[in-house]
Amino acid sequence: MGETKIISLNSKELADISQVGGKGYSLIKLSSLNLNVPPGIVLTVGFFEDWIKKIKNSDLYKEFILQLSQNNNECQIILNKIKDWSLNNLVLSSSDKQDIEDNLKKLFPDDYNKILYAVRSSSPEEDLAGASFAGNYETYLGTQFDLLEEFILKSFISCIDYRVFRYKLEKGFTASDIKIAIVIMKQVNCDVSGVGFSINPLNNDYDEAVITSNFGLGESVVGGIITPDEYIVNKISKKVITEKLGSKDKIVKLNEDNGTSILEQNSENQKKSSLSKEQIIQIVDKIIVIENSYNVPIDIEFGIENDILYILQARPITTYNKLPEEFLTKPNEQRQLYFDVTVGVQGFEEPMTTFGSDVFKLVIHTLAKLIPGIENIDNLKESAFDGIGGKLLLNLSNVMTKFEIETITNYTSNINSLINETLLNHGNEYKNKTECKALKINKLYIIRKVPIIRIIFAKYFAKSSKSNFENQMSRFITESEEYIQKNIDSNVPIFTIFEHLFNNLVTYFRSYAIPVLAYGIFFGYMKLKNLFEPYLKDNSELRQDFNNLIKCFPFVTILMGLDTYKLSTYLDKNQYKNKTQDEFYQDYLDKKFPKEFYNEFETFMKKYGFRGEGEIDIVNKRYSENPKTIINQVFSALLEYDESNNPQKDFDDTNTNRPEIFRKLYKFASKKGFASEFEKAYFFTVNFFQYRESHKYYIVFVIGSVRKLILKRAEVLLQRNLIDDIDDIFKLKIKSLDHILENVDVITKEKVGNKIQEDNKCREIVTTWKRQPIMFDSRGRIFSHERKEASKKNQLIGDSVSYGKVRGKAKVLKTVNEKVFNPGEILVTKATDPGWTPLIINCGGIILEVGGMLQHGALVSREFNKPCVVGIENITDIIKDGEEIEVDAIEGIITLLDREE
């Protein structure tokens, strides 16, 4: 069949896509499924071999190849000249014309030269699972038999269009290659037509089909000429979930002679549904048949003539979030609701590495086992949590069987507001019917292991709990450093090392951290928040006082920011105000800074060298490996601040003024009748809230410290050419790396590669996602914030987490070091972690896509008096680098000052 120049759409054999193109292949396949496809033929790629040779032998094509090799911008002009040349020089041979006529005669023996045809391009690269050329190639409707050659040529030269050339380059195809097939099929004179999706493209729901339609031919729908009717249907129950009628003010109809026309739609049709309920279900049934055959989500084009449904095209959907098997439930099973910690808390643009999520899986397993006595928390379907495919997922469907929705939302409101919004709106439908037995908390174990007495008698044990925590965690650091150093060259498996360190850490935490965290968070901050929250919304003065009361505590990340500023005080601003960031860094490398700076920097690295951007993922470099991040921020701090205006002064002034603010708020609390509760909560907040991030600090300490050990051990894999890059080890799970290192003398590169592919399979799927959702379910459905409506077109509404107002130029960043950050710019990013702290102290304000009151960016912004608004989806796409914006973190409004109101 490879040599056949013309193939019938009702061919019993499925032709090769390289010959018939994506559209031709799809139509032949649809026909083989006994679906109602209009009869027709495919002129294969081989059919046009003569035309392609003539083009490639032309001087214009040779000029095109030359300019393409030089990345010349004149390619579009040359391509247009090639198209004009083709229209004047390419004709079908008499034998080719006869072949077309003979094949159409077989299909339409009585009227082949009287009926109208649709002439449709079909590229070998089109409609594949990784690329869709929809809209780039040409289709000609309502074509008379006598005009077929003209429109075959016009369709053919669409493969030389500049749009196609650009798309090929973007998708990695050979841009200079000319290949196309053309479908000639009977024109359906549609009464109604449209497009159907086997997955909801708006929310990624696998079990919802979406249909858009209009009267007449489908060009009005696919060409965006009108707002079509839209129907969303549950594929399992076959119920129409929503029906939204579009304006449908235009209609595309066939001309009597040739082609189509856009006409005004009559008012009656504009007001009524273009599809009946029966037709909607019929289309959905066909969508399901096609999706099951393709085994991937698909979209189709359809037409209805005289109540007969025709399938005109089907292709895989290339822009959806494919769920790995580990996340999925079957269509009729109870859906599971997932919260992604990596996005919703950490704000990661990409998934963690497989190794990184495996490390955190061990962290959570150890925490659950040694504190509440839960043996198997790390199973996504059966329990509450798992680290899979670079995702840290919490199964809220199981969690809701153990805790009331209200209890969960009381805590999560400070982490990410989308959790609350989703649980309050949809929690009951996602709550599993049976209790999750794997989440059974061992109360007796907790009583035996956790210092309950210290928590109950908090005031009495407060002083000793504080000193115990600080002394014992310092001891943990020392013991861990000694243990790691002892095992750098040992045969102790990496998994065992992690297990030992995390067991020790959680044991220390259980005994010494739980009391101080309970004091600071539950008895302190959250109690304060609950006492004052009912009065804050409508009282801006009270809101400001409360904000000043609960900021500038010595959190470890805040101290890191202040220590970054301190480094800048050893340098002379005048010496560097006309230098670039790179010149500043070179001076650091060349040891041109004062000796005191380097002494202080060494102290800084001892405290924070194991930290860095994206620090919870072990793949990411630490400050000790790449100090440029810190040096860049020292440079910004040097230019931004002076003795009378700096973060250390703000920090000290706030702490000096806190007692005065307390007295003022105490009077307010007395009037409202909660003075005693306020005083107690204030005591715990001031003395213990500073430890809120301590658990993360020590976890990152372990990760950063063991990273050094891993890199040293893995050097042998590079030396023996078992891996191509040192970071390849992080595509493995921990025990897989151990196995490879244990068998390094006998294992082959092929086996290592196979193990990497196996371990990294799930992450490879997740990295194809077009969007990284915070909340989604086990049937793909993505949850988003309900967009808050602003009063002006140039405004966006979010949640204020650090009060104030500022204007400035936006700097949109995905990573800390992506581009130069100038002092005073407004930081716009998805979320931050402690690696961003040095940058935050130099910004004017902050806008975050995700986060809550206790997310890192919110916390640090409050400490350094930076107005901060969170919870605006896609903010990094909406705001452009350098545009003037206003952050009103009193009302939660972002104003894009350069845009129309």
Side-chain angles (χ1 to χ4, degrees):
M1 182 180 288
E3 299 301 319
T4 306
K5 290 177 134 186
I6 299 178
I7 298 174
S8 173
L9 293 181
N10 61 12
S11 170
K12 299 303 179 186
E13 294 184 56
L14 201 53
D16 195 297
I17 199 168
S18 65
Q19 278 299 302
V20 297
K23 196 173 281 102
Y25 179 89
S26 170
L27 290 167
I28 294 170
K29 183 171 183 174
L30 293 170
S31 183
S32 72
L33 296 174
N34 294 319
L35 294 166
N36 200 16
V37 176
I41 58 174
V42 184
L43 309 182
T44 66
V45 171
F47 183 91
F48 298 102
E49 189 175 331
D50 183 53
W51 282 5
I52 293 169
K53 282 181 181 177
K54 287 180 178 178
I55 290 173
K56 288 187 173 182
N57 287 331
S58 70
D59 292 337
L60 284 170
Y61 182 79
K62 291 170 185 174
E63 186 179 348
F64 164 67
I65 295 299
L66 176 63
Q67 294 195 7
L68 183 61
S69 67
Q70 298 173 350
N71 292 320
N72 197 307
N73 292 327
E74 298 297 312
C75 284
Q76 183 171 5
I77 297 171
I78 299 299
L79 287 170
N80 287 336
K81 288 181 179 179
I82 293 173
K83 288 169 72 174
D84 291 339
W85 179 90
S86 298
L87 286 171
N88 294 319
N89 291 275
L90 299 181
V91 293
L92 291 174
S93 67
S94 56
S95 61
D96 284 343
K97 290 181 187 176
Q98 192 59 52
D99 284 346
I100 292 172
E101 184 172 343
D102 291 343
N103 276 273
L104 292 177
K105 266 186 183 178
K106 289 179 186 176
L107 295 173
F108 314 107
D110 298 327
D111 54 1
Y112 76 92
N113 58 353
K114 298 174 185 174
I115 63 173
L116 297 177
Y117 295 93
V119 180
R120 313 174 73 187
S121 59
S122 179
S123 168
E125 295 112 347
E126 185 184 17
D127 296 344
L128 300 178
S132 171
F133 283 72
N136 289 315
Y137 292 114
E138 295 296 338
T139 289
Y140 296 94
L141 304 180
T143 305
Q144 293 179 341
F145 176 79
D146 293 340
L147 297 175
L148 279 178
E149 181 177 3
E150 175 187 342
F151 287 98
I152 288 170
L153 177 55
K154 285 183 176 180
S155 188
F156 170 83
I157 64 170
S158 67
C159 76
I160 312 170
D161 194 274
Y162 183 69
R163 293 172 302 169
V164 175
F165 159 71
R166 291 300 312 166
Y167 191 80
K168 282 184 176 183
L169 284 177
E170 289 171 10
K171 290 295 182 179
F173 298 119
T174 304
S176 60
D177 205 8
I178 300 174
K179 286 182 181 178
I180 196 167
I182 290 176
V183 174
I184 303 172
M185 60 195 301
K186 182 181 179 181
Q187 176 68 61
V188 179
N189 189 11
C190 301
D191 303 311
V192 181
S193 53
V195 176
F197 302 85
S198 72
I199 185 173
N200 189 327
L202 295 178
N203 63 18
N204 204 65
D205 196 313
Y206 287 12
D207 298 329
E208 290 180 358
V210 178
I211 300 167
T212 58
S213 60
N214 185 24
F215 296 103
L217 301 179
E219 297 307 291
S220 68
V221 178
V222 298
I225 297 170
I226 49 92
T227 302
D229 295 338
E230 179 185 277
Y231 314 91
I232 300 177
V233 184
N234 184 297
K235 286 154 59 180
I236 300 168
S237 67
K238 303 292 173 65
K239 289 182 179 177
V240 178
I241 301 169
T242 62
E243 177 178 328
K244 186 165 63 177
L245 300 187
S247 58
K248 306 191 300 293
D249 54 327
K250 300 284 193 300
I251 184 171
V252 177
K253 298 293 287 183
L254 290 172
N255 296 331
E256 290 186 8
D257 50 355
N258 194 75
T260 61
S261 294
I262 301 173
L263 307 173
E264 294 294 323
Q265 180 103 260
N266 66 60
S267 58
E268 183 182 348
N269 279 354
Q270 288 184 41
K271 295 175 184 177
K272 73 178 184 179
S273 173
S274 51
L275 291 172
S276 67
K277 292 290 192 296
E278 293 76 15
Q279 288 171 329
I280 293 168
I281 300 308
Q282 185 186 12
I283 293 165
V284 170
D285 285 338
K286 301 306 179 190
I287 286 173
I288 293 171
V289 169
I290 298 167
E291 181 181 46
N292 289 340
S293 175
Y294 277 68
N295 203 31
V296 292
I298 50 93
D299 65 58
I300 70 165
E301 292 178 20
F302 66 87
I304 299 174
E305 180 182 11
N306 297 326
D307 288 327
I308 299 173
L309 174 64
Y310 293 91
I311 306 299
L312 307 177
Q313 183 172 330
R315 59 182 168 235
I317 294 174
T318 60
T319 54
Y320 80 105
N321 282 15
K322 177 184 178 182
L323 295 188
E325 288 294 325
E326 292 88 341
F327 299 3
L328 270 172
T329 50
K330 295 177 181 176
N332 288 307
E333 289 180 344
Q334 169 70 41
R335 293 184 178 211
Q336 303 298 292
L337 181 62
Y338 304 135
F339 170 67
D340 185 354
V341 176
T342 61
V343 181
V345 177
Q346 297 300 319
F348 283 7
E349 289 285 343
E350 294 182 357
M352 295 174 69
T353 55
T354 296
F355 198 104
S357 59
D358 207 29
V359 171
F360 246 82
K361 180 173 180 172
L362 180 58
V363 172
I364 301 300
H365 172 85
T366 309
L367 282 166
K369 183 179 179 180
L370 296 184
I371 296 178
I374 298 173
E375 292 286 339
N376 298 302
I377 198 170
D378 48 328
N379 184 306
L380 188 61
K381 301 279 185 66
E382 301 300 324
S383 191
F385 176 88
D386 216 337
I388 311 176
K391 294 290 185 185
L392 305 178
L393 298 180
L394 183 67
N395 185 335
L396 290 167
S397 294
N398 280 332
V399 174
M400 284 186 286
T401 68
K402 301 296 290 185
F403 303 97
E404 295 295 327
I405 291 174
E406 185 178 352
T407 303
I408 299 170
T409 55
N410 282 342
Y411 177 71
T412 58
S413 62
N414 293 305
I415 298 172
N416 193 292
S417 59
L418 183 59
I419 306 177
N420 286 31
E421 193 176 307
T422 306
L423 290 184
L424 293 173
N425 291 332
H426 305 283
N428 287 325
E429 66 188 85
Y430 279 97
K431 180 179 178 180
N432 286 330
K433 303 297 183 288
T434 56
E435 183 181 359
C436 180
K437 294 181 180 178
L439 280 180
K440 185 177 180 181
I441 295 173
N442 190 331
K443 295 179 182 177
L444 183 60
Y445 181 88
I446 294 174
I447 292 169
R448 285 173 47 225
K449 298 293 184 179
V450 176
I452 302 293
I453 299 299
R454 282 186 172 273
I455 297 172
I456 294 173
F457 298 100
K459 196 89 174 189
Y460 179 80
F461 286 105
K463 186 177 179 181
S464 61
S465 292
K466 185 169 188 157
S467 61
N468 283 349
F469 173 75
E470 292 179 348
N471 293 334
Q472 293 302 324
M473 295 318 296
S474 177
R475 178 183 169 190
F476 168 77
I477 293 280
T478 302
E479 290 176 349
S480 299
E481 287 174 338
E482 291 173 355
Y483 176 80
I484 291 168
Q485 186 61 39
K486 184 178 73 174
N487 284 291
I488 282 182
D489 297 316
S490 76
N491 293 322
V492 177
I494 294 165
F495 187 88
T496 303
I497 290 171
F498 268 126
E499 196 172 39
H500 171 84
L501 291 169
F502 287 139
N503 276 337
N504 277 4
L505 176 58
V506 174
T507 302
Y508 274 97
F509 259 45
R510 186 177 64 195
S511 299
Y512 307 112
I514 286 180
V516 297
L517 289 175
Y519 302 164
I521 296 173
F522 298 106
F523 300 169
Y525 172 78
M526 292 189 75
K527 183 66 176 178
L528 279 182
K529 185 169 175 284
N530 290 336
L531 289 173
F532 281 91
E533 196 165 45
Y535 309 101
L536 296 179
K537 186 177 180 182
D538 300 318
N539 189 331
S540 59
E541 183 182 350
L542 180 67
R543 196 161 61 220
Q544 187 64 51
D545 287 337
F546 183 76
N547 186 53
N548 289 331
L549 185 77
I550 60 169
K551 73 180 184 183
C552 288
F553 294 112
F555 299 109
V556 65
T557 48
I558 303 306
L559 295 178
M560 183 171 72
L562 294 174
D563 285 344
T564 304
Y565 162 72
K566 184 179 179 181
L567 288 167
S568 73
T569 63
Y570 292 95
L571 304 170
D572 182 0
K573 178 187 288 193
N574 293 324
Q575 187 178 347
Y576 289 102
K577 61 185 178 182
N578 294 319
K579 286 198 173 187
T580 66
Q581 199 173 75
D582 288 339
E583 289 172 332
F584 183 79
Y585 185 64
Q586 192 59 50
D587 279 2
Y588 158 78
L589 294 176
D590 294 341
K591 300 292 183 180
K592 291 183 178 180
F593 293 169
K595 182 180 178 182
E596 294 81 1
F597 174 92
Y598 291 102
N599 291 338
E600 189 66 36
F601 193 70
E602 185 178 347
T603 302
F604 182 96
M605 282 299 173
K606 284 179 181 177
K607 288 197 286 187
Y608 312 115
F610 56 83
R611 309 203 76 167
E613 183 187 0
E615 61 190 6
I616 70 165
D617 193 348
I618 196 166
V619 71
N620 292 316
K621 289 185 177 181
R622 312 287 132 168
Y623 293 144
S624 58
E625 300 171 75
N626 179 26
K628 188 173 184 180
T629 299
I630 291 298
I631 299 301
N632 286 349
Q633 297 315 315
V634 172
F635 179 64
S636 293
L638 180 63
L639 300 183
E640 172 78 355
Y641 299 113
D642 53 40
E643 287 186 9
S644 62
N645 171 36
N646 64 70
Q648 186 66 59
K649 184 177 183 300
D650 289 344
F651 182 85
D652 294 340
D653 288 348
T654 299
N655 280 281
T656 300
N657 296 331
R658 198 189 316 274
E660 183 181 341
I661 296 170
F662 166 72
R663 287 189 290 272
K664 182 179 179 182
L665 291 179
Y666 186 84
K667 291 179 182 178
F668 177 86
S670 296
K671 291 179 183 178
K672 299 298 181 181
F674 59 83
S676 176
E677 290 178 279
F678 169 50
E679 185 175 24
K680 185 177 178 182
Y682 173 76
F683 168 82
F684 286 119
T685 303
V686 168
N687 287 284
F688 296 99
F689 191 48
Q690 68 192 66
Y691 300 116
R692 179 217 165 241
E693 288 199 320
S694 59
H695 60 291
K696 185 175 178 182
Y697 176 84
Y698 293 106
I699 290 170
V700 171
F701 161 75
V702 172
I703 292 171
S705 301
V706 179
R707 172 180 159 85
K708 293 180 185 178
L709 179 148
I710 292 170
L711 292 176
K712 188 172 189 307
R713 288 194 184 184
E715 285 175 0
V716 66
L717 303 182
L718 273 178
Q719 292 165 3
R720 302 197 182 193
N721 195 33
L722 293 173
I723 55 175
D724 297 320
D725 186 279
I726 194 64
D727 282 351
D728 287 346
I729 62 175
F730 299 117
K731 297 175 183 176
L732 293 160
K733 294 181 179 178
I734 305 171
K735 289 185 176 179
S736 297
L737 178 58
D738 279 334
H739 175 77
I740 290 168
L741 290 171
E742 288 166 13
N743 296 276
V744 71
D745 293 328
V746 295
I747 202 164
T748 64
K749 187 172 185 177
E750 182 182 6
K751 286 186 177 179
V752 172
N754 289 340
K755 194 60 186 171
I756 287 174
Q757 191 173 16
E758 178 187 333
D759 284 2
N760 211 42
K761 180 183 176 182
C762 189
R763 186 181 185 276
E764 287 294 320
I765 294 172
V766 172
T767 53
T768 66
W769 290 4
K770 305 301 179 185
R771 46 182 169 165
Q772 298 291 333
I774 297 169
M775 302 280 294
F776 63 100
D777 74 17
S778 56
R779 295 300 297 163
R781 185 183 187 90
I782 293 172
F783 294 89
S784 302
H785 281 290
E786 293 181 8
R787 180 60 67 88
K788 300 168 186 174
E789 293 297 325
S791 59
K792 297 178 181 179
K793 288 193 298 183
N794 66 336
Q795 290 183 334
L796 302 163
I797 307 294
D799 299 315
S800 298
V801 292
S802 179
Y803 301 112
K805 186 184 287 190
V806 66
R807 287 189 177 196
K809 291 190 180 298
K811 180 57 65 76
V812 183
L813 295 177
K814 291 186 177 179
T815 62
V816 171
N817 287 320
E818 182 185 354
K819 58 191 89 157
V820 173
F821 189 90
N822 299 308
E825 289 181 318
I826 294 172
L827 171 63
V828 182
T829 190
K830 191 150 192 174
T832 66
D833 65 15
W836 292 72
T837 302
L839 184 149
I840 290 173
I841 68 171
N842 296 317
C843 74
I846 309 171
I847 306 171
L848 303 175
E849 185 171 325
V850 301
M853 287 294 289
L854 293 182
Q855 203 272 344
H856 170 268
L859 188 148
V860 177
S861 64
R862 286 196 297 275
E863 305 310 309
F864 290 117
N865 293 314
K866 309 294 182 181
C868 182
V869 174
V870 305
I872 305 176
E873 288 191 22
N874 302 315
I875 192 66
T876 54
D877 295 322
I878 296 170
I879 294 180
K880 304 306 177 188
D881 235 16
E883 74 172 304
E884 196 78 17
I885 61 176
E886 179 183 82
V887 179
D888 180 352
I890 299 169
E891 301 298 333
I893 298 173
I894 307 300
T895 304
L896 312 179
L897 299 170
D898 295 337
R899 307 191 196 184
E900 288 185 19
E901 294 185 5

